[in-house]
Amino acid sequence: MQCSALRKNGFVVLKGRPRKIVEMSTSKMGKHSQAKVHLAGNDIFMWKKPGDICPSTHNMDIPNIKRNDYQLIRIQDGYLSLLTETGEVHEDLKLLGGELGKEIEGKYNAGEDVQMFVICAISEE
């Protein structure tokens, strides 16, 4: 997709990572140059926010983002066992660190039914 066609809250690949566009501005054309677009986007997995500048006519990659819904059935050795809607078990996701990981583990240990969704883009979950 052409850089000038991107919009805020859309998704783009910046510096090899899938990002949600949170800021976007366009500079005017110079005497001998093209208009430039400044993009800043949060990494959808790590929430870092680098920016990038590219010509408005430059083509950008758009990530294919998929959301999968699961039910947590077990936590073992730091990995989650998740049940898909079709009844398959997904066991290769590592429990997140930080507050979210502690909240998930706390609810599981308390015997609560934990429903979660996992975002997948560029072969990363």
Side-chain angles (χ1 to χ4, degrees):
M1 177 178 283
Q2 199 170 50
C3 191
S4 60
L6 298 172
R7 297 292 174 250
K8 190 174 177 181
N9 294 324
F11 295 96
V12 67
V13 176
L14 292 175
K15 299 180 181 176
R17 302 288 302 162
R19 304 187 188 276
K20 183 173 184 176
I21 301 169
V22 293
E23 294 176 19
M24 188 171 172
S25 61
T26 307
S27 64
K28 294 182 180 179
M29 281 185 6
K31 189 173 187 177
H32 300 287
S33 65
Q34 301 175 350
K36 302 274 192 261
V37 176
H38 176 265
L39 298 170
N42 288 334
D43 186 301
I44 65 171
F45 297 111
M46 297 184 292
W47 291 103
K48 293 181 181 177
K49 184 181 161 185
D52 202 7
I53 296 174
C54 61
S56 61
T57 56
H58 183 74
N59 286 331
M60 303 291 290
D61 291 328
I62 306 299
N64 184 14
I65 297 174
K66 185 177 175 186
R67 175 187 161 145
N68 297 314
D69 294 310
Y70 297 107
Q71 179 180 357
L72 178 62
I73 54 176
R74 182 176 58 227
I75 299 175
Q76 184 175 354
D77 299 327
Y79 284 86
L80 305 173
S81 292
L82 303 168
L83 186 64
T84 67
E85 293 175 345
T86 60
E88 298 172 28
V89 178
H90 190 63
E91 297 182 307
D92 60 350
L93 283 176
K94 192 168 186 161
L95 179 64
L96 295 171
E99 299 223 4
L100 183 57
K102 289 178 185 176
E103 181 182 345
I104 292 168
E105 193 167 21
K107 288 184 176 193
Y108 172 76
N109 290 335
E112 292 183 37
D113 184 29
V114 180
Q115 301 290 324
M116 52 186 17
F117 69 89
V118 176
I119 296 174
C120 179
I122 309 179
S123 302
E124 186 175 344
E125 293 183 297

